[in-house]
Amino acid sequence: MRLSAEQLGWTAQGRRLLDNVSLDVEPGETFGLVGPNGSGKTTLLRMLAGLRRPHSGAVLVDGRAMSAMRQRDIARCIALVEQHADTTDRVTARQVVALGRTPFLSPLRPWSSQDEAVVSRALDDVDMRHMADRLWHTLSGGERQRVHIARALAQQPQVLLLDEPTNHLDIRHQLSILRLVRQLPITVVIALHDLNQAMDCDRVGVMEAGRLIDMGPPGQVLTAERLHHTFGVHADLVDDPLDGSRIMRFRTVV
């Protein structure tokens, strides 16, 4: 499924949070969003998910204006994992993941064994099935994050949007989640702080002050000059001794 943004704009309290942002994410592509805090990544993801309507411009899903789609129809094809999503309800991890099936349920299509199987598979994918019956408030931050990712997977989306999904995760689960995302046969847009993780994306876009200032293959976009200008760091590209891939070594700008 192709996801497009056409000249998106958003202003809040006189501040331009998104400024004329346009991009096309191709079917099956993994597109990384990088940029400093406050650069507009979260605002853009929420618009692409249909949770916030742009003040100007449009979001298109396979060429169809999202503004003309019902929220249920959007939820049947697009899932978002936000940075901070919490609940005060006394619910179990399995019940949170089961919420991902909500767009597909109706009086004529009640909960079924198929839904149960989808939820169990999603819990397996994020290594949380053994904690499925744990209450939400007993889970750590990293465990909650994995449950939210499982909830999104349970939607069986054609487009998966993730806002810094490795926050709170230990290194083992960071790597396993990113590996899982890369293997999914769907369109993915993922906001990342770790620029080395962004190197594994098909393309990356660099956000700065609400604008998408660069876009393309990671090796062409995440140059030493770009990292110096946008992130205020010096970076050396070196070869990983294990597999020969290019990785970054950072030094702060003095």
Side-chain angles (χ1 to χ4, degrees):
M1 177 170 281
R2 177 178 285 103
L3 188 63
S4 305
E6 293 186 347
Q7 299 179 319
L8 294 182
W10 175 268
T11 301
Q13 297 179 339
R15 181 185 171 203
R16 191 76 167 167
L17 299 182
L18 281 187
D19 186 4
N20 200 34
V21 172
S22 297
L23 76 156
D24 287 297
V25 186
E26 297 298 322
E29 181 179 23
T30 297
F31 187 92
L33 275 177
V34 300
N37 288 339
S39 59
K41 302 187 298 296
T42 295
T43 301
L44 176 58
L45 285 174
R46 287 181 64 81
M47 285 188 184
L48 294 177
L51 298 182
R52 177 173 289 173
R53 290 204 171 192
H55 290 158
S56 59
V59 177
L60 305 178
V61 181
D62 272 347
R64 181 184 178 189
M66 183 177 281
S67 59
M69 298 173 64
R70 297 184 307 165
Q71 198 64 43
R72 175 181 286 265
D73 293 333
I74 296 171
R76 284 177 173 175
C77 60
I78 299 176
L80 169 66
V81 178
E82 299 191 80
Q83 281 189 63
H84 306 290
D86 221 331
T87 178
T88 57
D89 296 333
R90 269 183 83 81
V91 293
T92 65
R94 180 179 292 276
Q95 288 170 327
V96 172
V97 177
L99 292 174
R101 302 304 299 159
T102 302
F104 304 96
L105 303 177
S106 72
L108 298 178
R109 201 292 198 187
W111 186 268
S112 69
S113 58
Q114 179 185 355
D115 297 302
E116 196 67 39
V118 170
V119 168
S120 294
R121 172 61 185 275
L123 285 162
D124 281 336
D125 285 341
V126 300
D127 191 27
M128 282 296 291
R129 192 167 183 176
H130 63 294
M131 294 187 179
D133 296 322
R134 287 270 300 272
L135 289 174
W136 178 260
H137 72 273
T138 69
L139 300 176
S140 70
E143 289 162 351
R144 293 180 184 188
Q145 184 75 341
R146 284 150 59 196
V147 169
H148 280 306
I149 293 170
R151 187 267 310 155
L153 295 176
Q155 283 182 240
Q156 297 183 306
Q158 297 176 64
V159 177
L160 179 60
L161 310 175
L162 304 110
D163 193 359
E164 297 176 15
T166 57
N167 275 6
H168 309 299
L169 298 184
D170 59 61
I171 187 62
R172 179 172 74 89
H173 285 107
Q174 284 187 34
L175 295 175
S176 65
I177 291 297
L178 291 173
R179 187 183 310 114
L180 169 65
V181 168
R182 286 196 297 270
Q183 292 172 347
L184 294 172
I186 61 177
T187 307
V188 175
V189 182
I190 180 170
L192 292 164
H193 262 316
D194 190 323
L195 299 179
N196 277 310
Q197 293 175 353
M199 292 293 286
D200 289 331
C201 296
D202 297 314
R203 288 189 301 150
V204 296
V206 181
M207 298 288 296
E208 184 178 305
R211 295 178 297 116
L212 187 62
I213 60 172
D214 207 350
M215 182 167 51
Q220 296 179 19
V221 171
L222 299 179
T223 62
E225 293 78 14
R226 169 57 61 202
L227 298 177
H228 184 192
H229 179 271
T230 300
F231 295 93
V233 297
H234 290 300
D236 301 311
L237 286 173
V238 298
D239 293 327
D240 189 323
L242 293 178
D243 60 11
S245 61
R246 301 289 277 172
I247 59 175
M248 301 178 198
R249 184 175 57 199
F250 297 103
R251 295 171 286 118
T252 58
V253 177
V254 179

